[in-house]
Amino acid sequence: MSFTEEQIKNLNAQFKGIPPEEIISWAIQYGNKAVVTTNFRPYEVAILHAVTDVDRSIPVIWCDTGYNTPNTYKHAEELTNLLGLNIHLYVPKQTAAHRDSIMGIPGIEDARHAKFTEQVKLEPFRRAMLEHKPDVWFTNLRKGQTALRDTLDILSLSKDGTLKVSPFYHWNDAQLDAYLNEHNLPNEHRYFDPTKVLEHRECGLHT
C-alpha cells in the first residue's frame, strides 16, 4: 500500500467528520500490517477502544520509559484487561535505577537530554517498529497538541512511508469526554513524560 501526498490530501478532505471506526476499518482493509502505539497518557483510551473495537488482535506497542506515575501503570493494567489489549511491551536497555545514578532526568536545556530521550523512548520505539514492520500506524495525535502536529492530519506519511492514522485528529477534549462517557471508559490525567517536560513539546517520536 502506497499513497502520494496528493492522494493523502484528498483522503483527509473526505475523512474529516467521518466516525473514527470507519477510518480505522478503511486503513485496516488497505494495509497489510497495522499497529497502534500508546503511552497511556490522558485520552489514549479513545484510540485503544476504537481500534480494538474493530480488530482486537492488532498489536498495541507500549514503549514504557520506566518513569510513568503509579496512576498511569494502574491505568495501563485496567485498560489492558478491560479492552483485551494485545500488548507488546518495549522498555529501555538500561534500568531507570542505572540511569538515575548516572544522569537522573536532565532538564530540557541540559545537553544530556537528547541522550536521555534516545535511551528511554526513541531506541525502544525504533526497535518495536523494526520488529513489527507495520505499514499502518494508529496514533492518537490531535490538532492543537504541538506545532508539529498542527501540520499533520488524519492521515500522514512517516519518513519511512508508513501510513500514520490519527482518527481523532480533529476532536477536542469535550468531544473525547463525550466519547468516553458514551462507552463508559476510564481516563487518567496524572501522567508524566520525562522526555517532554513541557506539554506542547515533541519528544522526537513523531518527527
Side-chain angles (χ1 to χ4, degrees):
M1 178 186 66
S2 61
F3 294 98
T4 64
E5 290 291 347
E6 186 64 24
Q7 287 173 318
I8 294 290
K9 182 179 178 181
N10 292 335
L11 285 167
N12 278 324
Q14 293 176 40
F15 285 161
K16 191 171 183 179
I18 297 295
E21 56 269 20
E22 292 186 22
I23 298 170
I24 292 165
S25 295
W26 171 87
I28 290 173
Q29 178 184 349
Y30 281 92
N32 292 313
K33 187 169 186 183
V35 299
V36 56
T37 56
T38 189
N39 49 16
F40 293 102
R41 63 175 287 127
Y43 294 110
E44 284 288 289
V45 61
I47 187 66
L48 295 172
H49 174 268
V51 168
T52 56
D53 203 40
V54 175
D55 185 348
R56 188 166 286 197
S57 69
I58 288 180
V60 177
I61 293 174
W62 179 21
C63 294
D64 176 11
T65 64
Y67 293 92
N68 284 299
T69 67
N71 294 83
T72 296
Y73 284 117
K74 290 173 184 175
H75 184 57
E77 286 291 317
E78 181 182 17
L79 294 188
T80 298
N81 294 325
L82 179 67
L83 302 176
L85 300 180
N86 179 17
I87 289 284
H88 291 250
L89 179 64
Y90 291 84
V91 298
K93 292 182 177 179
Q94 309 89 347
T95 64
H98 180 176
R99 193 178 308 98
D100 284 347
S101 68
I102 303 299
M103 71 170 83
I105 301 178
I108 242 161
E109 305 302 331
D110 193 314
R112 299 171 300 170
H113 193 271
K115 182 178 181 181
F116 177 84
T117 300
E118 169 67 21
Q119 288 183 0
V120 303
K121 184 171 281 189
L122 301 184
E123 186 283 325
F125 174 76
R126 285 198 303 271
R127 190 172 0 120
M129 296 301 264
L130 187 63
E131 286 183 15
H132 288 272
K133 295 181 173 63
D135 55 2
V136 172
W137 170 16
F138 291 111
T139 80
N140 206 38
L141 297 187
R142 289 192 291 140
K143 190 173 183 178
Q145 290 178 321
T146 67
L148 170 70
R149 298 178 190 195
D150 284 350
T151 68
L152 304 177
D153 210 319
I154 295 170
L155 303 181
S156 59
L157 292 173
S158 62
K159 286 182 179 179
D160 63 359
T162 304
L163 183 67
K164 196 183 298 185
V165 184
S166 307
F168 293 95
Y169 183 77
H170 295 288
W171 289 47
N172 58 35
D173 286 0
Q175 289 173 302
L176 285 177
D177 284 332
Y179 180 93
L180 268 55
N181 287 333
E182 177 186 353
H183 297 285
N184 196 29
L185 297 169
N187 202 4
E188 173 53 54
H189 289 282
R190 282 165 288 189
Y191 172 81
F192 171 66
D193 186 340
T195 67
K196 290 185 178 180
V197 183
L198 300 174
E199 178 62 25
H200 295 285
R201 182 179 182 274
E202 283 292 342
C203 63
L205 190 149
H206 291 283
T207 59

